[in-house]
């Protein structure tokens, strides 16, 4: 790395993806100007300690490695804005991640994560949160108190409930909760989402366009919108006066028969 530093003393971005690395090159920490480091698709089993010494680092990509845990030193990356740790072997998101106050994007999909920190609201800058395809059984209530959260994907987990506060979070624009087992909680969340004025997309359903009566065709083909998504569609149909046709080809949906305000019965069909 000394030669790299000499040749490009102000190097800001380093891309080492797909090199079968089990460690980073010696002297990486000497590249003090680095803002972006990409180490995706290597054979790293831990987060290289040299990374913690990069005080100006803003983007760190570690997806597709063999990392099992995130050490406490991660909180030293006080300027980090984007962290991608997807496709590793993580079983939890540790509490010390909450010290990353500048973090805007946290992508941790396709791991084996079972739990999240209770005080998620401390990530005050977080805008995008993706923990899809994990083993999470519950979301902390504090998720609904994230002041800047715009996109959350918790699809393909083992969730039984979604905090109602999350559906009422005023900053959220996109939400995906498909492929969970929410049961009766689906109705509560669907009602909250349907009443939300800021959510644009929910489980691939174009909520904002339906609410604004901006569609003449609703195309949900090849999209498994799930129970919650189907309920939201049912709620919003009354606003979609311009809708002329709906494409539901090759997808599994839920037909909803609802009476009064929130009494739902379901029949699963395949079109």
């Amino acid at each position: 790395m000394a030669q790299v530093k000499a040749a490009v003393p102000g190097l800001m971005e380093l891309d080492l993806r797909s090199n079968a690395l089990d460690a980073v090159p010696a002297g990486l920490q000497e590249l003090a100007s680095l803002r972006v480091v990409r180490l995706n698709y290597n054979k790293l089993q831990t987060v290289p300690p040299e990374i913690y010494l990069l005080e100006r680092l803003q983007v760190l990509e570690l997806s597709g490695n063999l990392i099992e845990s995130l050490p406490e030193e991660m909180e030293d990356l006080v300027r980090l804005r984007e962290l991608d740790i997807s496709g590793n072997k993580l079983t939890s998101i540790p509490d010390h991640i909450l010290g990353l106050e500048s973090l805007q994007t946290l992508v941790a999909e396709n791991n084996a994560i079972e739990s999240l920190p209770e005080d998620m609201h401390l990530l005050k800058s977080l805008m995008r949160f993706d923990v899809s395809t994990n083993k999470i059984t519950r979301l902390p209530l504090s998720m609904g108190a994230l002041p800047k959260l715009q996109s959350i994907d918790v699809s393909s987990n083992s969730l039984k409930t979604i905090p109602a506060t999350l559906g009422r979070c005023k900053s959220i624009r996109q939400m995906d909760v498909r492929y969970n087992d929410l049961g009766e909680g689906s109705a509560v969340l669907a009602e909250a989402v349907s009443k939300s004025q800021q959510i644009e997309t929910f489980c691939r359903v174009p909520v904002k366009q339906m609410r604004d009566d901006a569609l003449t065709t609703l195309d949900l083909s090849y999209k498994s919108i799930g129970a919650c998504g189907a309920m939201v569609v049912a709620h919003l149909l009354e606003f979609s006066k311009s809708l002329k046709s709906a494409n539901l080809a090759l997808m599994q949906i839920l037909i909803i028969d609802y009476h009064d305000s929130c009494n739902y019965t379901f029949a699963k069909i395949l079109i």
Side-chain angles (χ1 to χ4, degrees), residues 210-211 213 218 230-243 246 258:
M210 291 188 70
R211 188 191 305 113
D213 195 18
L218 178 62
M231 291 180 190
V232 169
V233 170
H235 277 298
L236 294 176
L237 282 175
E238 63 177 298
F239 299 103
S240 301
K241 306 298 183 183
S242 300
L243 194 62
Y258 58 99

Side-chain angles (χ1 to χ4, degrees), residues 52-79:
Y52 314 133
L53 302 176
L54 299 174
E55 297 181 355
R56 299 181 181 180
L57 192 64
Q58 298 180 9
V59 178
L60 176 60
E61 297 182 2
L62 292 164
S63 64
N65 280 282
L66 305 170
I67 298 170
E68 297 183 358
S69 64
L70 300 177
E72 293 185 8
E73 290 84 353
M74 286 289 294
E75 63 183 354
D76 293 339
L77 300 174
V78 294
R79 298 188 183 183

Side-chain angles (χ1 to χ4, degrees), residues 207-269:
V207 173
K208 185 178 188 301
Q209 288 179 299
M210 291 188 70
R211 188 191 305 113
D212 294 346
D213 195 18
L215 297 175
T216 56
T217 299
L218 178 62
D219 187 358
L220 296 175
S221 57
Y222 299 94
K223 298 176 183 178
S224 298
I225 61 176
C228 270
M231 291 180 190
V232 169
V233 170
H235 277 298
L236 294 176
L237 282 175
E238 63 177 298
F239 299 103
S240 301
K241 306 298 183 183
S242 300
L243 194 62
K244 304 300 181 185
S245 64
N247 186 352
L248 308 177
L250 295 175
M251 64 167 286
Q252 197 170 47
I253 65 170
L254 291 171
I255 287 186
I256 303 174
D257 176 23
Y258 58 99
H259 306 282
D260 301 325
S261 58
C262 291
N263 296 319
Y264 298 90
T265 58
F266 308 97
K268 189 175 275 190
I269 68 171

Side-chain angles (χ1 to χ4, degrees), residues 95 97-103 117-126 142-143 145-147:
D95 286 348
I97 288 295
L98 302 176
L100 300 176
E101 296 184 355
S102 299
L103 196 64
E118 288 298 323
D119 295 324
M120 286 292 295
H121 65 285
L122 295 178
L123 292 174
K124 297 180 180 180
S125 300
L126 193 64
S142 63
M143 291 292 300
L146 287 166

Side-chain angles (χ1 to χ4, degrees), residues 83-98:
L83 175 61
D84 185 350
I85 48 175
S86 57
N88 279 282
K89 296 185 176 182
L90 298 171
T91 57
S92 67
I93 300 291
D95 286 348
H96 46 264
I97 288 295
L98 302 176

Side-chain angles (χ1 to χ4, degrees), residues 128-180:
R128 180 191 173 203
F129 184 55
D130 185 348
V131 286
S132 58
T133 317
N134 278 288
K135 299 179 180 180
I136 300 169
T137 57
R138 61 179 293 273
L139 295 179
L141 292 175
S142 63
M143 291 292 300
L146 287 166
K148 296 183 179 180
L149 187 64
Q150 296 183 10
S151 175
I152 179 169
D153 190 342
V154 293
S155 61
S156 300
N157 276 281
S158 301
L159 296 170
K160 302 294 184 182
T161 61
I162 299 287
T165 53
L166 195 57
R168 296 191 293 266
C169 184
K170 294 182 179 180
S171 60
I172 289 183
R173 299 293 181 268
Q174 286 114 20
M175 184 187 302
D176 196 342
V177 300
R178 295 171 303 142
Y179 307 115
N180 283 286

